[in-house]
Amino acid sequence: MSENITSVTDVNFEEEVLKSNLPVLVDFWAVWCGPCHMIAPTVDYMATNYKDKLKVVKMNVDESMSTPAKYGIMSIPALLLFKSGDVVETIVGALPQSKIVDMLSKHL
Amino acid sequence: MSHTYDVIILGAGPAGLSAALYTGRALLDTLVLERAAPGGQILMTDYIENYPGFPEGIEPFKLTENFRKQAERFGAKIEVDEAKEVRTRDNLWVLEGRKQEYLTKTVLIATGAYFRKLGVKGEGKYTGKGVSYCATCDAFFFKDKVVAVVGGGNWALTEALLLTKFARNVKVIHRRDKFRAEKILQDRTIAHEKVDVLWDTVIEEVVGENVLKSLRVKNVKTGEVSELDLDGLFVSIGTVPNSEFVKDIVDLNEWGEIKVGKKMNTSQRGIYAAGDVTDACPQQVATAVGTGVAAAIALDEYLQGF
């Protein structure tokens, strides 16, 4: 995992994501979710290649349950892109890297 | 783009990685292109109990890691990219990737398959909002809820049985009056106290308000239409081969599967195929591995006369 990626929880979500000056990509995942592992290299790619424009964090839905519920997460992997506290893009499922990068980079 | 590979394998699932192990050991210059990360469809399941050599079963992620390590140990390189197009140049094949062009003497297509959609109203709108294609991923979100699985094959019943660990009630919706799945899965499903089977039933519409709320279903024998209130729908009605990008290059059958010969050869010289993308693989890890290995051996033979 890229050193630019940090973990967030229900406790620090507001501080780390909603109040961030940079756009934030939140990767909702779980250990037992195979397709979550499939998109991990793509999340790494975003963290490395957009490090000046984007903050990348992961939230383990097994450990933090109220934030996923608040954002209506019912399928993972789910990537939500936040700008100034608002969701501007939602990507559900293990899509190809090129597609995910296209969908995110147009906002950056 | 001066480098010419002996073989480029498209897809890093069980078929592609097993082939890469063999081509690597045959000292062929091997590149594997994968559009996400190694694994493929097996990562959609929670546990594999029918792959020989693992009497207690194995987690799909571990098995994938093993496949990958073993292929890399013999020199296979795995990169993230996908072929958008395949075309010929002299006696070589050119793969048009998203990142660059690749040149190779042979191609092994092991791109697998993806989940078939129901194609009913509301399905797309509520995907990720109650409609799911992966119980392993999403069963967790349906603790003590009522869910349905649509389908009647191995995959559907495996999903239904996994969901019983989380949901309060699991309805299995099947359009026929009997399942296609293995007998052992049928017995486990029908005997399960949390499972209700709705035979001869099709889904006509996924209904919701922000999230999925109900299904409009129809009994195909009586014609009766009813509304089924529930929280989640898991779609397991089979797969569609990832063969679209080569449909003008190699022969496909009516379901879009690549037609292969005994040596996993396609209708094009130097192009081989293996695993779920072909018409020769009954969608098992073991058969994906077997066809991958057979293709690797055949293309090695072909390259000796290249």
Side-chain angles (χ1 to χ4, degrees), chain A residues 32-35 37-38 41 61-62 65 71-76 92 95-98, chain B residues 35-37 40 43-44 61 80 82 98-99 128-130 136-138 140-142 231:
Chain A
W32 32 258
C33 162
H37 296 289
M38 285 195 79
V61 301
D62 236 350
M65 295 179 198
Y71 287 96
I73 307 287
M74 295 168 85
S75 273
I76 51 172
V92 175
L95 303 183
Q97 185 175 94
S98 56
Chain B
R35 63 184 184 176
L43 291 183
M44 306 287 274
F61 191 64
V80 179
E82 65 185 305
R98 290 190 184 274
K99 295 181 177 166
K129 301 279 171 205
T136 310
C137 312
D138 302 335
F140 172 84
F141 297 105
F142 296 90
D231 308 291

Side-chain angles (χ1 to χ4, degrees), chain B:
Chain B
M1 202 209 60
S2 54
H3 188 87
T4 302
Y5 289 94
D6 290 323
V7 55
I8 293 183
I9 298 169
L10 303 175
L17 292 175
S18 304
L21 160 64
Y22 271 69
T23 60
R25 284 195 85 231
L27 305 181
L28 301 180
D29 188 359
T30 302
L31 175 67
V32 182
L33 297 181
E34 163 59 50
R35 63 184 184 176
Q41 289 178 91
I42 64 168
L43 291 183
M44 306 287 274
T45 192
D46 63 327
Y47 210 67
I48 295 170
E49 58 180 30
N50 58 2
Y51 187 64
F54 298 90
E56 309 303 325
I58 184 166
E59 287 165 10
F61 191 64
K62 248 181 223 161
L63 187 60
T64 294
E65 276 298 289
N66 289 349
F67 283 148
R68 182 184 62 77
K69 282 184 194 154
Q70 204 172 355
E72 285 179 341
R73 184 179 150 205
F74 293 102
K77 277 190 295 178
I78 303 171
E79 283 176 15
V80 179
D81 202 352
E82 65 185 305
K84 289 187 293 184
E85 199 189 306
V86 177
R87 58 177 184 271
T88 176
R89 182 182 302 165
D90 305 324
N91 60 342
L92 300 175
W93 292 101
V94 180
L95 305 184
E96 183 68 44
R98 290 190 184 274
K99 295 181 177 166
Q100 62 171 97
E101 248 182 31
Y102 304 87
L103 205 55
T104 182
K105 293 174 189 166
T106 63
V107 180
L108 171 47
I109 304 167
T111 44
Y114 63 95
F115 291 90
R116 187 183 295 279
K117 300 209 158 119
L118 265 180
V120 299
K121 194 176 163 203
E123 182 185 17
K125 187 173 175 191
Y126 296 108
T127 293
K129 301 279 171 205
V131 176
S132 170
Y133 301 85
C134 177
T136 310
C137 312
D138 302 335
F140 172 84
F141 297 105
F142 296 90
K143 280 178 192 156
D144 301 318
K145 302 276 176 75
V146 177
V147 299
V149 175
V150 56
N154 288 337
W155 195 267
L157 301 196
T158 304
E159 297 270 90
L161 289 166
L162 173 69
L163 282 159
T164 60
K165 294 178 189 167
F166 295 87
R168 181 169 87 234
N169 175 248
V170 180
K171 299 179 195 306
V172 178
I173 300 174
H174 187 42
R175 63 190 164 143
R176 298 187 218 281
D177 58 6
K178 56 174 185 270
F179 291 130
R180 284 188 319 275
E182 293 165 351
K183 190 72 170 48
I184 187 170
L185 291 172
Q186 294 193 30
D187 289 352
R188 285 180 193 171
T189 304
I190 291 167
H192 203 289
E193 57 178 6
K194 282 189 179 175
V195 175
D196 299 322
V197 181
L198 281 72
W199 302 108
D200 303 312
T201 302
V202 295
I203 297 172
E204 297 209 310
E205 188 181 344
V206 178
V207 184
E209 199 188 314
N210 299 319
V211 296
L212 180 157
K213 297 275 189 208
S214 65
L215 301 176
R216 200 155 55 78
V217 297
K218 181 176 160 186
N219 184 304
V220 292
K221 286 201 173 147
T222 64
E224 190 192 338
V225 175
S226 54
E227 193 107 344
L228 216 52
D229 290 339
L230 40 72
D231 308 291
L233 171 66
F234 290 80
V235 180
S236 311
I237 53 167
T239 59
V240 183
N242 288 312
S243 59
E244 179 71 21
F245 72 109
V246 285
K247 69 178 196 301
D248 299 326
I249 298 283
V250 299
D251 290 347
L252 309 180
N253 70 12
E254 60 183 304
W255 298 287
E257 295 166 339
I258 298 174
K259 287 188 191 175
V260 287
K262 278 185 187 158
K263 296 192 161 186
M264 309 313 292
N265 49 303
T266 69
S267 56
Q268 285 284 356
R269 206 168 58 97
I271 301 187
Y272 296 78
D276 287 356
V277 75
T278 71
D279 66 354
C281 188
Q283 303 200 312
Q284 299 296 305
V285 183
T287 51
V289 168
T291 55
V293 170
I297 291 170
L299 71 84
D300 184 31
E301 275 172 20
Y302 167 80
L303 282 169
Q304 285 171 24
F306 194 82

